[in-house]
Amino acid sequence: MAKSTTTYVCQSCGAQSRQFFGRCSACGSWNSLVEQSAPPTDARRRRPAPALGGEPAPRRSEAMAAVGQRPLARLATGFGELDRVLGGGLVPGSLVLVGGDPGIGKSTLLLQTAAAMAQAESVLYVSAEESAQQVKLRWRRLDQAATGGDGPQLLAETDLEQVLKELEALRPAVAIIDSIQALHDAELASAPGSVAQVRECAAALQRLAKKLDIALLLVGHVTKEGVLAGPKVLEHLVDAVLTFEGDRFASHRLLRAAKNRFGATHELGVFEMRDRGLVEVSNPSELFLGSPEGLAGMATIVACEGTRPLVVELQALVSTTSYASPRRTATGIGTNRLHQILAVLEKHLGLPLSRFDCYLAVAGGLQVEEPATDLGVAAAVVASYRDLALPAGTVLIGELGLGGQLRPVGQLELRLQEAARLGFRRAVVPRGSAVGQPALEVHEAGGVAEALVAALGANLNDQD
Ligand code: TYD
Ligand code: MG
């Protein structure tokens, strides 16, 4: 038994120190240090790495070209959208962390996945948060439950040791742990959900999963600050980190990969929460398009999430301010970005926007970070200021430079294809993009004024 020493562990980054500090010296967060009496080194000794039999042969390096390659096997999850985000399906023996706010639908997503995969593979669903009865109640609401068969194996358990034993006994192809924070290792003194517990439970599960080639899906909770609890600890341990997000007031849910060792990140999966569970949305653009007829202050952009173009509507409201400093509010794009675009419009088009409040919203609660939305934002603002409607069926794509110039954006061809597919007829894009898109009337513009004239068909320079 090692001498019991007290360590203090930061609950947000996992850094340890012997002394208590009000602020973590590693990540800088306040009041995050928690006393822990059993140091994790003890626990690590308890489960030693498997000893190599006899004399260990020295490992030698080999030339890259000589390294043998096995094709990656992939298991279909039953959701095309989930497969896309995973990079083509679930890799056997991989460890995937699925994070998201409480109530967003993580348990629903994984229970449906378990149901679909149980048709072809053996699947274990470990519920550490809900009782077997509660899971069964949810199960009965799902469409997948009606497909027959025995469904996945269910274990309602919070003790890590029991979960490991069941994994060893059942040896499923896929195991789902809902959630990693609710599991607990009886040999650690700290409370379930603490960094030490989360790290130890995940590491123990991973060792076993790699040994038995089990694909492991872990549910992780998001803390008040919006990060996965114990983020640094889990994120580098796992092969992929998926985040499930959405607006509480809207029914659609977005699944993204924040990290993926087996595929591209920034892929997007779109689902809709219905009363019988989650349904995939294969035409997400239709979700983010509102009214077909043009209203003043509305503009349509094509954002790109990974390789997935999304046609999205923006709305701006510009009205005379009654404050000393005008209000600027943006939902769905960064406020700094809006400030910058307003400054460019003020300077290069001579619009007196500093005397106007300006509100901007992206339809459907979507977050668009891309600079390619700049031209759409500018057009929505100018259209609202001038009380003009953009001609119906026009999309705007382009990044705005501080000098008022339009910068080319990536994946333009893909964006235009999507716009054409949804019935748009005109596009305003940066000059020099050289695209051949016969289905659309493409206007190229070098600067913001030229682009807005092409889009709105009006002379924009303001003299007052
Ligand atoms: P849940 O999967 O429990 O979320 P998490 O595990 O991320 O906390 O999702 C629960 C929410 O989803 C709950 O508010 C009810 C809703 N829901 C539906 O709308 N339809 C359904 O068929 C199910 C199962 C849940
Ligand atoms: Mg849950």
Side-chain angles (χ1 to χ4, degrees), residues 100-110 112 125 129-130 137-139 141-142 178 219 221 244 253 273-278:
D101 287 331
I104 205 76
K106 302 179 295 297
S107 302
T108 307
L109 176 73
L110 293 178
Q112 285 181 270
Y125 185 93
E129 285 183 355
E130 294 170 63
L137 266 180
R138 185 201 308 269
W139 170 261
R141 294 173 66 178
L142 303 176
D178 187 1
V219 172
H221 284 290
F244 203 38
R253 302 280 183 268
M273 183 62 97
R274 301 251 182 96
D275 54 352
R276 301 189 64 82
L278 290 157

Side-chain angles (χ1 to χ4, degrees), residues 317-330 335 338-339 342-343 346 351-360 381 385:
L317 176 68
V318 177
S319 65
T320 316
T321 188
S322 44
Y323 303 97
S325 60
R327 288 186 64 93
R328 272 95 170 79
T329 310
T335 316
L338 177 63
H339 280 296
L342 294 177
E346 178 135 23
L351 306 183
L353 290 171
S354 49
R355 286 192 259 127
F356 290 82
D357 289 335
C358 185
Y359 303 90
L360 189 98
V381 167
Y385 171 74

